Amino acid sequence: MLPTSQIEVRRKVPRAVREPQMLDAAVRVFAQRGYHGASMAEIAEGAGVTKPMVYAYFGSKDQLYLACIEQAGRELRNALEVAGEERQLERRLWRRLLAYFEFVGQRRDEWRVLNREATSTGGPFSEQVARARGEAIRLVAQQLEEAVQAGGGTAPASELEPLAHALVGAGESLADWWVDHPDEPVEAMALRLMNLVWLGLGDLLEGRLWAPA
Amino acid sequence: MLPTSQIEVRRKVPRAVREPQMLDAAVRVFAQRGYHGASMAEIAEGAGVTKPMVYAYFGSKDQLYLACIEQAGRELRNALEVAGEERQLERRLWRRLLAYFEFVGQRRDEWRVLNREATSTGGPFSEQVARARGEAIRLVAQQLEEAVQAGGGTAPASELEPLAHALVGAGESLADWWVDHPDEPVEAMALRLMNLVWLGLGDLLEGRLWAPA
Amino acid sequence: MLPTSQIEVRRKVPRAVREPQMLDAAVRVFAQRGYHGASMAEIAEGAGVTKPMVYAYFGSKDQLYLACIEQAGRELRNALEVAGEERQLERRLWRRLLAYFEFVGQRRDEWRVLNREATSTGGPFSEQVARARGEAIRLVAQQLEEAVQAGGGTAPASELEPLAHALVGAGESLADWWVDHPDEPVEAMALRLMNLVWLGLGDLLEGRLWAPA
Amino acid sequence: MLPTSQIEVRRKVPRAVREPQMLDAAVRVFAQRGYHGASMAEIAEGAGVTKPMVYAYFGSKDQLYLACIEQAGRELRNALEVAGEERQLERRLWRRLLAYFEFVGQRRDEWRVLNREATSTGGPFSEQVARARGEAIRLVAQQLEEAVQAGGGTAPASELEPLAHALVGAGESLADWWVDHPDEPVEAMALRLMNLVWLGLGDLLEGRLWAPA
DNA sequence: TATGAATGAGCCTTCATTCAT
DNA sequence: AATGAATGAAGGCTCATTCAT
């Protein structure tokens, strides 16, 4: 057994180092067990400390959970923003889908914390989670509106919001499927969603509607 | 002692009556609070009985939760099966979407239990929830396959599964949106999804694919 | 070792029996350790049960403490009321002092809970304790007022309140001394206070005042 | 780096300065929250230092509490001693009462620490508190004995101790009342107690006793 | 069939106290 | 002289679960 000095549990680590460690552990545990199922003890252990340290740095379970959500949201937002610099509409959408799946693929835990228990189990923070999700959806809706205007589409504006919901849901669900098919490359995932969105959107935005006979 | 039979909480109620009462209460509470947040005490109270009765009938919290999921799944399946009797493909899809949104609209609690904490919180039952969800998705995939064959489509079969995932996710997300817009009629909801599915699918199934430049 | 069946810990005792047992234990522990020093575990153990039972019956530590104070206050009030039926003023005062010391002597713990931490350590209930103490003092003040009127005294009414405070304080302190001198009979204690009160009062009520030279 | 010496919290402050600061903070917190309710963290913060400093200077919470009691006792003793230089008995008593109320009025916190939780919460220091209180009472008893001897009184010596207890209790309770009536001047407070003591004592010391019919 | 009484285990939180710098 | 980092131990409270009636 070689000494695995890198993993070794260090003592008296400065806050700037410990705090992220704790956040990471928290994200991991919250993602796996959900808010109620997660225990502060497990989180602390996962960070290599005892509970009082977690409380010293984050105050309470609620605040820790909030910190997780906020971090996850911030990171997703960053990823999408970078992808949003693309000028052309079609390419921008493609870049964003790529960024989204990259985020989901690399930070699976963060993404879980962000989406798990979203509207449910009403804690004092489900509000916060819902807001983060809402932001994403609004971003999509706005993107759709630009597409409509650019393409001279005839789709009524009021329809963009539910459409955005549907697309986001499709993306999340695809991401879930990805978890069980880890060999799929990012591009394949983004491509799938892009196809559904772009081709399907094509008809809609041009005013072609389906109607029951 | 005058008989006050109307108000009085009935005792010695036969099993066939008590069990559904409990299941209803359980669905309600699980839907509102999530698995971990729900307490057996609240469920018992909601059913007008004491905790030992709940245990006598369902054995444990896990088993009770399972019973809820199973019932919800069964009911959704029934609704969809009835809708599946339609012969023509396009109409069958439309009927099924209608049935789905009718189920969601009328039994919101059941639907919540079915979708909440779906893949997460890895308990001994997330497996069961996943299975119920998997069935729905497989149904959709199968439907898609029929569509491909009927239309002489060129879409590869391996793509149908992820596509089904995306569509189911879109449906769930739309249903979520519906919760905040309760005035929307069922048909409008089903129509939205049908448009996305059918028109979007049109291109896909005919082999038209989008590809990055 | 003879079996001490009477002390034996009984199981499944009805609430009407358990609740007072718990209250007794609580009074004992609160009296000995003070509110903050008392632990629910020790109280539960003292009552021969586990903590959840205490919570089932009293809800929280605060409420349990309140229940103790209320019971103690009620019992002291009862004792004093019975003693207040005496017609003649002087005898009534004497009877009340006797009753007071009897209460203190027999229910030392209750009395401690009532007087300990009275104005201090401000919990959400120090208010309640203060009120109980305030009642006693007001009773004394009222008694004094009757004495003034009956005796045609000239003492200003505004002085009665602080005087009552002083007398109550004297009584409590004497009761404290009694704890270390348990052989003293009740009458001797009451007599001591009576002497201070009645003789000292004599001059005051007749308008004889001391003044610095 | 511009010097901001006035606002900046000073470091490397000599022991002679830091220790009283800590003691003051401790007295304040103990007075407000009681022994158990006070936290070392709050005390440290109140003194503008960190907890390890408090431990370095006082060793433990118990010892710190003791130090507070001792300081308070010392200060009260000093005040009373100065007042005891008066030759004539009556005037000496008057001066002492004045000094007592001056102490209570000016150092309310110290006085609280001295009287709060006095005999209760049986920690390792209630002993110490009791001793401080005992000293005060003995002082009063001794004063009473001198009065008896000077006046040729007939009161038995064994009665002086409980009497002293009663008087001290009356004083404390009056002081409590004062807290809620802060506009009262010191002299008025001392006068009230002096009246009760001196006039009431008059009869007692001259052998006039009340007895139940 | 139905329940009041009871508990073991666990969770969130806090606190007095110490170590390494 | 002083501190940020860290912890063992305990306390209040809740919950799933069972027993005796």
Side-chain angles (χ1 to χ4, degrees):
Chain A
M1 307 282 182
L2 291 177
T4 58
S5 58
Q6 279 178 319
I7 300 178
E8 164 194 31
V9 176
R10 298 256 307 288
R11 310 217 149 216
K12 301 284 172 189
V13 172
R15 179 172 191 144
V17 175
R18 263 289 132 84
E19 212 177 89
Q21 287 180 352
M22 292 181 188
L23 250 180
D24 279 7
V27 165
R28 228 157 43 226
V29 176
F30 279 133
Q32 199 165 73
R33 308 229 189 271
Y35 175 79
H36 275 112
S39 93
M40 293 300 270
E42 189 178 353
I43 291 172
E45 196 189 11
V49 277
T50 50
K51 282 184 289 173
M53 281 310 295
V54 182
Y55 280 89
Y57 286 180
F58 292 93
S60 74
K61 194 184 183 183
D62 281 26
Q63 282 172 275
L64 177 54
Y65 191 54
L66 268 184
C68 290
I69 291 166
E70 265 157 21
Q71 184 194 245
R74 207 177 321 122
E75 292 188 345
L76 175 54
R77 230 172 298 132
N78 282 348
L80 293 185
E81 253 167 38
V82 169
E85 286 171 359
E86 187 75 42
R87 268 293 180 74
Q88 204 216 331
L89 190 68
E90 188 177 333
R91 282 205 60 76
R92 191 164 67 217
L93 183 55
W94 168 243
R95 290 290 303 276
R96 277 194 169 146
L97 291 184
L98 260 183
Y100 170 68
F101 280 102
E102 250 156 22
F103 175 81
V104 170
Q106 276 165 24
R107 323 220 179 184
R108 201 142 299 183
D109 285 341
E110 267 95 338
W111 171 74
R112 274 217 159 131
V113 169
L114 210 49
N115 273 80
R116 209 55 73 219
E117 300 169 325
T119 32
S120 76
T121 47
F125 26 71
S126 66
E127 200 182 317
Q128 193 83 6
V129 189
R131 188 187 322 155
R133 201 168 186 273
E135 269 181 39
I137 292 178
R138 227 169 301 128
L139 202 72
V140 173
Q142 181 183 324
Q143 187 96 357
L144 291 182
E145 198 171 352
E146 291 176 26
V148 169
Q149 290 173 350
T154 57
S158 65
E159 279 307 301
L160 298 180
E161 199 192 311
L163 191 55
H165 263 86
L167 294 178
V168 167
E172 285 167 357
S173 203
L174 258 183
D176 269 338
W177 177 82
W178 199 16
V179 173
D180 296 328
H181 300 74
D183 291 338
E184 295 284 324
V186 207
E187 287 81 9
M189 297 307 301
L191 196 52
R192 285 189 176 97
L193 190 49
M194 186 72 184
N195 262 307
L196 184 62
V197 170
W198 193 251
L199 296 189
L201 233 54
D203 297 309
L204 287 180
L205 296 182
E206 290 169 20
R208 276 196 292 283
L209 285 178
W210 181 93
Chain B
M1 311 293 172
L2 293 176
T4 57
S5 58
Q6 275 183 321
I7 299 178
E8 163 192 36
V9 174
R10 301 259 301 287
R11 299 179 165 241
K12 294 274 182 191
V13 172
R15 181 166 193 133
V17 175
R18 268 284 136 88
E19 209 176 275
Q21 286 179 355
M22 292 182 189
L23 213 55
D24 278 9
V27 165
R28 227 159 42 227
V29 176
F30 280 132
Q32 204 165 68
R33 308 227 190 272
Y35 175 78
H36 275 111
S39 89
M40 295 298 270
E42 188 178 355
I43 292 173
E45 196 192 13
V49 280
T50 51
K51 281 183 291 177
M53 284 308 300
V54 182
Y55 279 89
Y57 279 54
F58 292 93
S60 77
K61 192 183 182 183
D62 283 21
Q63 283 172 275
L64 177 53
Y65 190 53
L66 272 185
C68 290
I69 291 166
E70 266 158 20
Q71 183 193 247
R74 207 176 321 123
E75 291 187 348
L76 175 55
R77 230 172 299 130
N78 283 347
L80 293 184
E81 256 167 36
V82 169
E85 287 172 359
E86 187 76 44
R87 270 291 182 72
Q88 202 214 333
L89 188 69
E90 187 177 335
R91 281 205 60 76
R92 191 162 69 217
L93 181 55
W94 167 243
R95 289 289 303 276
R96 276 195 169 146
L97 290 185
L98 259 184
Y100 170 67
F101 280 103
E102 251 155 20
F103 174 80
V104 170
Q106 277 166 22
R107 322 224 181 182
R108 200 143 298 183
D109 284 342
E110 267 95 338
W111 172 73
R112 273 218 160 132
V113 169
L114 212 47
N115 271 80
R116 210 54 77 217
E117 301 168 325
T119 30
S120 76
T121 49
F125 26 72
S126 66
E127 195 182 321
Q128 193 82 4
V129 188
R131 187 187 322 153
R133 200 169 186 270
E135 271 180 37
I137 292 177
R138 228 168 300 128
L139 203 71
V140 173
Q142 181 185 326
Q143 186 96 356
L144 291 181
E145 198 170 351
E146 292 176 26
V148 168
Q149 291 171 350
T154 57
S158 65
E159 278 307 300
L160 297 180
E161 197 191 312
L163 191 54
H165 262 88
L167 293 178
V168 167
E172 285 166 356
S173 203
L174 258 184
D176 268 338
W177 178 82
W178 198 16
V179 173
D180 295 328
H181 300 75
D183 290 336
E184 295 284 325
V186 207
E187 287 82 9
M189 296 307 301
L191 195 52
R192 284 189 176 97
L193 191 49
M194 186 71 184
N195 262 306
L196 185 63
V197 170
W198 193 251
L199 296 190
L201 234 53
D203 297 310
L204 288 180
L205 297 182
E206 290 169 20
R208 278 198 288 283
L209 284 178
W210 182 92
Chain C
M1 308 285 178
L2 292 176
T4 57
S5 59
Q6 277 179 321
I7 300 178
E8 166 194 30
V9 176
R10 298 257 306 289
R11 311 216 149 217
K12 301 285 175 190
V13 171
R15 181 173 190 144
V17 174
R18 260 291 130 82
E19 212 177 270
Q21 287 179 352
M22 291 181 188
L23 250 181
D24 278 7
V27 165
R28 230 157 40 227
V29 176
F30 279 133
Q32 199 165 74
R33 307 229 191 271
Y35 175 79
H36 274 112
S39 93
M40 294 299 270
E42 189 179 354
I43 291 173
E45 197 191 10
V49 278
T50 50
K51 281 186 289 173
M53 281 310 295
V54 182
Y55 279 91
Y57 285 179
F58 292 94
S60 75
K61 194 185 183 183
D62 281 26
Q63 282 172 274
L64 176 55
Y65 191 52
L66 269 185
C68 290
I69 291 166
E70 266 158 20
Q71 184 195 245
R74 207 177 320 122
E75 291 189 345
L76 175 54
R77 230 173 297 132
N78 283 348
L80 293 185
E81 253 168 37
V82 169
E85 287 171 0
E86 186 76 43
R87 269 292 180 73
Q88 204 216 330
L89 189 69
E90 189 177 332
R91 283 203 61 75
R92 190 163 69 218
L93 183 56
W94 168 243
R95 290 290 303 275
R96 276 193 170 147
L97 290 185
L98 260 183
Y100 170 68
F101 280 102
E102 251 155 20
F103 175 81
V104 170
Q106 275 165 25
R107 322 222 179 184
R108 201 143 299 181
D109 286 341
E110 267 96 339
W111 171 74
R112 274 217 160 131
V113 169
L114 210 48
N115 272 81
R116 207 58 71 219
E117 301 169 325
T119 32
S120 76
T121 44
F125 27 71
S126 66
E127 199 181 319
Q128 192 84 3
V129 189
R131 189 188 320 156
R133 200 170 187 271
E135 269 181 39
I137 292 179
R138 228 170 299 129
L139 202 72
V140 173
Q142 182 183 325
Q143 187 96 357
L144 291 181
E145 198 171 354
E146 291 176 26
V148 169
Q149 291 172 349
T154 56
S158 66
E159 280 307 301
L160 298 180
E161 198 192 311
L163 192 55
H165 263 87
L167 293 178
V168 167
E172 285 167 355
S173 204
L174 259 183
D176 269 339
W177 177 82
W178 198 15
V179 173
D180 295 328
H181 300 75
D183 291 338
E184 295 284 323
V186 206
E187 288 82 9
M189 296 308 300
L191 195 52
R192 284 188 177 98
L193 190 50
M194 186 71 184
N195 262 307
L196 185 62
V197 170
W198 192 250
L199 296 188
L201 234 55
D203 298 311
L204 289 179
L205 297 182
E206 289 170 20
R208 276 198 291 282
L209 286 177
W210 183 93
Chain D
M1 314 282 181
L2 293 177
T4 57
S5 58
Q6 275 182 322
I7 299 179
E8 163 191 38
V9 173
R10 301 259 301 288
R11 296 178 167 241
K12 295 274 183 189
V13 172
R15 180 167 194 134
V17 175
R18 268 285 135 89
E19 209 176 275
Q21 286 179 353
M22 292 183 189
L23 214 54
D24 277 9
V27 165
R28 228 159 40 228
V29 176
F30 279 132
Q32 204 163 68
R33 308 226 191 271
Y35 174 79
H36 275 111
S39 91
M40 295 298 271
E42 189 178 355
I43 292 173
E45 196 192 11
V49 281
T50 50
K51 280 184 289 176
M53 284 308 300
V54 182
Y55 279 89
Y57 279 55
F58 293 92
S60 77
K61 192 185 183 182
D62 282 22
Q63 284 172 275
L64 177 54
Y65 190 53
L66 272 184
C68 289
I69 291 166
E70 266 159 19
Q71 183 192 245
R74 208 177 321 123
E75 290 187 347
L76 175 55
R77 232 173 296 131
N78 283 347
L80 293 184
E81 257 167 34
V82 170
E85 287 172 359
E86 186 76 41
R87 270 291 181 73
Q88 203 215 332
L89 190 67
E90 187 177 333
R91 282 205 62 75
R92 191 163 68 217
L93 182 55
W94 167 243
R95 289 290 303 277
R96 277 195 169 148
L97 290 184
L98 260 182
Y100 170 68
F101 280 103
E102 251 155 20
F103 174 81
V104 170
Q106 277 167 21
R107 323 224 180 180
R108 201 143 297 186
D109 285 343
E110 267 95 340
W111 172 73
R112 273 217 159 131
V113 169
L114 212 47
N115 271 80
R116 210 54 77 216
E117 301 168 326
T119 31
S120 76
T121 48
F125 27 73
S126 65
E127 197 182 319
Q128 194 81 4
V129 189
R131 190 188 320 154
R133 203 169 184 269
E135 271 180 36
I137 292 178
R138 230 168 298 128
L139 203 70
V140 172
Q142 182 184 323
Q143 187 95 355
L144 290 181
E145 199 171 350
E146 291 177 26
V148 170
Q149 290 172 350
T154 57
S158 65
E159 279 306 300
L160 298 179
E161 199 192 311
L163 192 54
H165 263 87
L167 294 178
V168 166
E172 285 167 355
S173 202
L174 260 183
D176 268 337
W177 178 83
W178 197 16
V179 172
D180 295 328
H181 300 75
D183 291 337
E184 295 283 325
V186 207
E187 286 83 9
M189 296 308 299
L191 195 53
R192 283 189 177 96
L193 191 50
M194 185 71 184
N195 263 305
L196 185 63
V197 171
W198 192 250
L199 296 189
L201 236 53
D203 297 311
L204 288 179
L205 297 182
E206 288 170 22
R208 275 198 291 282
L209 285 177
W210 183 91

